[in-house]
Amino acid sequence: MTTTVAGAPAGSGGGARVARLAQRQGALVILVAAVLAATFAFDSFGTAGNLENIALQASFLAVVALGMTFVIMSGGIDLSVGSVFALGGVLAAWGSRYGTLAALLVPLVVCGAIGLVQGLVIARGGLPPFIVTLAGLLFARGLLLLISDEGARTYKVPPDSAFRELAQGSLLGVGYPVWIVLAAFGLGGLVLHRSSYGSTVLAIGGQEDAADLMGLPVLRTKVIAYTTCGVLAGFGGLLMASYTSSGVTVLGVGMELEVISAVVLGGTLLTGGAGTVLGSLVGVLLLQVIRNVINQVGSLNSNWQAVISGAILLVVVTAQRWLAKVEGR
Amino acid sequence: MSERLASRPRSRREPDRPRRVRIDPDWIRRNGVYVALALLLVINIAITDNFVSDATLRLQLIQVTPVLIVALGMALVIGTQGIDLSVGAVMALAAALIPLYIGYGTAVAITIAVLAGGISGALAGTLVARVGVQPIIATLGIMVAGRGVANLFGGEIKSIRDPGVVALGSGSLLGVPYVVVIAAVVAATTWFLVRRSTFGRQLVAIGGNKRAAELAGLPVRRVLLTTYVLCGLLAALAGVLLAARSQASDPTKVGLLVELSAITAVVLGGTPLSGGQVRIAGTIAGALLMQLITATLIFHDIPDSTAQIAQAVIVVAAVYVQLGRRKARS
């Protein structure tokens, strides 16, 4: 079933083709429907300011989701991204007092190193990604507490720092983070769908043993995927620190699950081997639109956001399974 | 001549000799969690003031009960090659329901709270067994939605003054706190289920090879569903006990990250994440080990940061040692 989803057009009838399309783009259909419904329901939703706000708010999660997409597509998972995101933010705020270069480099290097170690332990040691990255979650949070005096200290970005511009500046009325996300996803899409590295990731996710027998560089590909994921999670935190002008230590708790939800909503199979980078972006946007709509409905409190996000996740994956069965026939 | 004769039998016995001289590494791997637990106990007895006391022992046992009960349910799910991320949210939901229904009496409130866990488990089980959604995704969805539902029901922190619930949380039977007694009963029951019942044998068989179990005519769907329902019920029970002990329910805090502690306890105890095996005694030891690690770090005023880094290293090391065993076998 996985292989049919992966690409080969197995279904013969038009029904199967529709099913396949809906299965892959289910989140996009829901996203478009949600945006249309919200535009009609709330005058304040469809405004340029609000849509730009949604895009900006989504950009932090989107950066992290891009890295996660590669890891999940290789058949792995990374639970550490929430902690690494927070760590990246704190390191960036801490580094910003030593200049913009330090604010950029310190988090990327440290977070990349955490990803690299996780990748090495997973690929070389053969340990389950779930456990290794769970330990990574604890480790990154421990490191974060160590830097911030057990969470008692919040580092501020100096007011005159150019580092603030990174997330607070804008081009053509659209914030830099949105442009960064567009560029990152464009690049990510090219790498995943047009490069040999991308096809190796998909091959490993599809069937690791087969990829290994074919002589593909399984170890190296995995290590690169986890390192990239760490770098991007740290970059997301760095952007957040630039946006809020401080390194907030409590951020990122539970973020790993939000990111995984977004990637899965986007149609990437958690078993690996199939999915698109664009889908993950759609998944992130869908979660952000839900959040925004709930804010628009004054009478609903933010807890509804969790309920609706969880319900949509379950509905989409259930629909995906059913459609996969339809297609299989 | 006589020397050669004498040396021969000795060389024949040689394969046995390493056993006497050094400890079999495989034995350590199999029983690593017990060895680590014993070591940590000895270290604490040696260096921690007032460690050997009734109060310390009681407190440790009381504190480990919620995670232990959740971990026992988790062990069953992991045995089927599944995973349940929703347990923390289910704990919060159960705790949030108690103050809501306490007006109808203690028994009613507790029953509703525990049953809510069963319903959540049934939803997870249906998604996994019938629809074929991956366990991690199905329970992730329930986790996200469940915490939201708990917050909607529970709102902010509510205190629980009902004498029945308070007694459940702080009373004791022959000097042993009720919560510890309940945890012991749950542990014994799960052990019996896994080792002595048909259900347990089917569960392990499904975890070992689902396709083979199906071909052998085992009721795969029913067993999977039951397993998730049991896990949900136990998570809810843990939530009830936690609320009873703290005499309050705080839906945003109860059960936070419990899923990760429970999974770690199960894995430390020697149950492989790949399913097909359930080790109840190991799970208990795993939960106790985690509790003791946390307690030891607190006893010695080691800050949170160092404690979390230490836990991370311990988890990876434990799994690495276990993996060695699996490689040696295959």
Side-chain angles (χ1 to χ4, degrees):
Chain A
M1 203 153 286
T2 319
T3 46
T4 50
V5 175
S12 47
R17 207 173 301 132
V18 173
R20 197 160 55 241
L21 188 73
Q23 187 190 347
R24 282 199 191 154
Q25 309 299 343
L28 189 59
V29 173
I30 296 183
L31 176 65
V32 170
V35 168
L36 286 178
T39 310
F40 283 113
F42 310 102
D43 293 336
S44 50
F45 183 87
T47 61
N50 190 49
L51 292 179
E52 205 254 320
N53 190 32
I54 291 177
L56 188 66
Q57 295 293 335
S59 58
F60 309 106
L61 199 64
V63 170
V64 187
L66 180 61
M68 184 71 92
T69 309
F70 277 82
V71 168
I72 291 185
M73 248 174 246
S74 76
I77 199 149
D78 190 345
L79 296 180
S80 72
V81 291
S83 292
V84 173
F85 177 89
L87 178 64
V90 170
L91 284 174
W94 173 82
S96 66
R97 55 180 64 183
Y98 304 104
T100 306
L101 196 65
L104 293 174
L105 280 184
V106 173
L108 294 184
V109 168
V110 174
C111 296
I114 291 177
L116 175 69
V117 171
Q118 292 186 146
L120 283 173
V121 174
I122 290 165
R124 290 209 161 262
L127 268 67
F130 194 92
I131 294 295
V132 174
T133 56
L134 170 59
L137 181 158
L138 292 173
F139 183 86
R141 198 150 281 281
L143 209 56
L144 165 79
L145 289 173
L146 207 61
I147 298 164
S148 61
D149 297 338
E150 304 304 317
R153 186 162 175 188
T154 304
Y155 292 100
K156 294 248 186 284
V157 179
D160 56 337
S161 174
F163 175 61
R164 290 185 174 213
E165 266 301 294
L166 183 67
Q168 294 178 14
S170 62
L171 178 71
L172 304 174
V174 177
Y176 284 148
V178 179
W179 293 112
I180 292 171
V181 165
L182 288 177
F185 272 76
L187 190 65
L190 283 180
V191 170
L192 191 67
H193 304 297
R194 291 280 178 273
S195 76
S196 65
Y197 176 79
S199 33
T200 309
V201 167
L202 288 167
I204 292 172
Q207 205 174 3
E208 192 174 329
D209 293 344
D212 200 23
L213 288 173
M214 280 164 67
L216 294 175
V218 172
L219 290 188
R220 200 177 64 207
T221 306
K222 278 191 179 180
V223 172
I224 292 174
Y226 284 96
T227 310
T228 312
C229 190
V231 168
L232 285 173
F235 185 68
L238 176 164
L239 269 185
M240 185 58 111
S242 165
Y243 185 66
T244 58
S245 303
S246 65
V248 186
T249 52
V250 295
L251 282 175
V253 176
M255 186 190 214
E256 54 282 347
L257 300 167
E258 215 175 332
V259 173
I260 295 169
S261 303
V263 173
V264 172
L265 276 175
T268 297
L269 294 181
L270 206 66
T271 41
T276 60
V277 164
L278 189 66
S280 299
L281 190 57
V282 170
V284 170
L285 282 174
L286 180 57
L287 290 181
Q288 196 59 45
V289 165
I290 294 169
R291 185 173 296 171
N292 190 272
V293 166
I294 284 175
N295 287 339
Q296 304 268 340
V297 186
S299 59
L300 291 181
N301 65 36
S302 62
N303 296 318
W304 280 102
Q305 179 203 321
V307 178
I308 294 172
S309 305
I312 287 187
L313 177 64
L314 291 180
V315 168
V316 170
V317 291
T318 304
Q320 279 177 359
R321 288 301 307 172
W322 268 329
L323 291 168
K325 277 180 197 165
V326 171
E327 190 193 345
R329 271 177 205 143
Chain B
M1 195 67 178
S2 63
E3 257 182 37
R4 272 171 71 193
L5 270 176
S7 71
R8 259 192 195 162
R10 217 159 86 202
S11 68
R12 224 178 253 166
R13 251 191 283 126
E14 234 155 40
D16 285 343
R17 269 176 66 197
R19 265 199 178 167
R20 280 208 317 253
V21 185
R22 58 194 168 92
I23 303 163
D24 179 12
D26 195 45
W27 186 89
I28 297 185
R29 287 194 189 116
R30 252 196 327 271
N31 301 292
V33 66
Y34 307 110
V35 175
L37 188 58
L39 266 177
L40 200 54
L41 274 173
V42 170
I43 291 171
N44 267 299
I45 291 167
I47 64 164
T48 308
D49 297 332
N50 299 324
F51 181 74
V52 192
S53 75
D54 196 31
T56 311
L57 182 71
R58 273 174 77 101
L59 187 67
Q60 295 309 315
L61 284 179
I62 288 174
Q63 281 184 347
V64 81
T65 46
V67 171
L68 173 58
I69 291 175
V70 173
L72 288 166
M74 186 71 81
L76 298 180
V77 171
I78 290 180
T80 69
Q81 213 175 66
I83 200 135
D84 190 346
L85 297 182
S86 69
V87 287
V90 168
M91 276 179 78
L93 180 61
L97 286 173
I98 289 190
L100 226 58
Y101 289 96
I102 203 70
Y104 301 97
T106 313
V108 174
I110 290 178
T111 309
I112 288 177
V114 173
L115 281 183
I119 292 169
S120 160
L123 178 59
T126 308
L127 285 167
V128 171
R130 292 239 155 232
V131 185
V133 177
Q134 285 168 344
I136 184 169
I137 289 298
T139 57
L140 171 64
I142 295 173
M143 169 193 180
V144 174
R147 178 77 56 185
V149 172
N151 275 317
L152 286 177
F153 279 142
E156 64 273 39
I157 307 171
K158 280 183 185 148
S159 64
I160 300 169
R161 294 264 168 271
D162 179 73
V165 177
V166 171
L168 176 70
S170 45
S172 58
L173 182 74
L174 303 172
V176 185
Y178 283 140
V179 289
V180 176
V181 174
I182 292 171
V185 170
V186 169
T189 313
T190 25
W191 183 87
F192 182 84
L193 264 183
V194 171
R195 285 296 158 87
R196 293 279 179 269
S197 77
T198 318
F199 169 76
R201 278 202 300 275
Q202 291 174 339
L203 185 156
V204 170
I206 291 166
N209 190 335
K210 194 175 154 196
R211 188 90 192 95
E214 247 163 18
L215 290 173
L218 298 187
V220 173
R221 288 178 171 185
R222 202 179 66 212
V223 171
L224 281 179
L225 180 67
T226 314
T227 308
Y228 282 91
V229 170
L230 284 175
C231 186
L233 288 172
L234 288 181
L237 176 66
V240 169
L241 295 183
L242 194 65
R245 204 184 75 218
S246 57
Q247 299 180 18
S249 78
D250 180 0
T252 54
K253 291 266 171 61
V254 171
L256 209 61
L257 294 181
V258 158
E259 54 280 350
L260 299 181
S261 319
I263 293 166
T264 312
V266 173
V267 173
L268 283 179
T271 303
L273 273 175
S274 48
Q277 246 189 77
V278 183
R279 300 186 58 171
I280 297 298
T283 301
I284 299 170
L288 286 172
L289 178 61
M290 300 251 299
Q291 171 65 29
L292 201 56
I293 291 170
T294 316
T296 308
L297 298 169
I298 291 172
F299 287 149
H300 295 278
D301 287 330
I302 291 165
D304 259 11
S305 54
T306 320
Q308 291 197 351
I309 292 173
Q311 273 180 346
V313 174
I314 290 167
V315 168
V316 171
V319 176
Y320 189 76
V321 168
Q322 261 193 43
L323 198 82
R325 183 179 84 232
R326 227 174 51 208
K327 272 187 184 158
R329 270 192 189 162
S330 59

